[in-house]
Amino acid sequence: MKRPFSRGLPTLQSLTFWHFHLAGWALFWAGDILFIWLQNISFRNIVAQALDAPIGCVLTLVLRHIYPRVKYRELSVPVLLLYILSCSIVGATVWHVGMTTTRYILLGPGVIAALWNVGYTFRWLSLIMPVWLRWSTLYFGIKYWRDLDAEQKRAREAMSLARSARLEML
């Protein structure tokens, strides 16, 4: 008898951080590349823009080492959201510095004045901030989901043990 196609697919519970992280950033990069391809810009500018997503991917790994230290079960939701917001602001700012640095290296010093214009900087931060907020929210959302799943599994096992103990008593 043939196994259905879906049997070979991993379940959401079996996927690791790396699956979600790399798949999310690969999709973001693919969308970025499509957007870049639609523009009429120089090759150096294409390369500079294509490096934005890999830089963000690497920088979010720093958050992965910061967030496990957060005792998120003990924090209230507003405090956790404030923590996520502050880490996202810092991360987005560092990402903007990384993007500006790659453009400086690839396009020359003339681009710095335009890139560090206050209006341009705030516009970029407002565009990339949601990326960091989504990443952080998904990180903690998946942690809460896995905690809930583990708690439900423990509850099912406890109920099963209680049932078997009642049957033994009869």
Side-chain angles (χ1 to χ4, degrees):
M1 186 164 144
K2 284 181 131 180
R3 289 195 310 165
F5 173 74
S6 63
R7 278 208 157 165
L9 296 176
T11 62
L12 284 176
Q13 290 86 352
S14 68
L15 296 176
T16 65
F17 164 81
W18 294 105
H19 291 104
F20 291 113
H21 180 76
L22 294 176
W25 279 106
L27 287 172
F28 181 81
W29 192 57
D32 204 24
I33 293 294
L34 177 65
F35 178 71
I36 293 167
W37 179 67
L38 295 173
Q39 297 178 29
N40 187 18
I41 55 177
S42 70
F43 179 73
R44 281 183 162 181
N45 211 334
I46 289 172
V47 171
Q49 287 186 26
L51 290 174
D52 291 349
I55 290 170
C57 179
V58 170
L59 288 175
T60 50
L61 292 177
V62 174
L63 284 182
R64 184 172 189 266
H65 291 287
I66 292 171
Y67 283 167
R69 292 179 176 87
V70 175
K71 295 180 178 23
Y72 63 95
R73 290 183 202 111
E74 299 170 9
L75 295 176
S76 67
V77 173
V79 171
L80 182 60
L81 290 175
L82 186 63
Y83 187 79
I84 288 172
L85 181 64
S86 61
C87 285
S88 296
I89 290 170
V90 170
T93 304
V94 172
W95 194 16
H96 180 66
V97 169
M99 292 188 302
T100 304
T101 303
T102 58
R103 281 165 177 71
Y104 174 77
I105 292 168
L106 294 170
L107 304 175
V111 77
I112 290 297
L115 292 177
W116 282 106
N117 175 321
V118 173
Y120 180 85
T121 300
F122 281 121
R123 183 173 65 90
W124 259 109
L125 289 176
S126 70
L127 290 173
I128 61 179
M129 176 68 79
V131 173
W132 286 78
L133 288 171
R134 279 190 297 266
W135 190 94
S136 298
T137 304
L138 281 171
Y139 179 87
F140 283 107
I142 290 169
K143 283 187 102 37
Y144 276 117
W145 173 53
R146 289 197 170 165
D147 286 350
L148 177 66
D149 194 44
E151 185 65 34
Q152 287 175 340
K153 183 179 177 186
R154 283 192 295 272
R156 283 191 301 270
E157 289 172 356
M159 287 179 67
S160 175
L161 283 172
R163 242 186 248 126
S164 62
R166 271 187 265 147
L167 287 174
E168 282 182 24
M169 288 177 67
L170 293 175

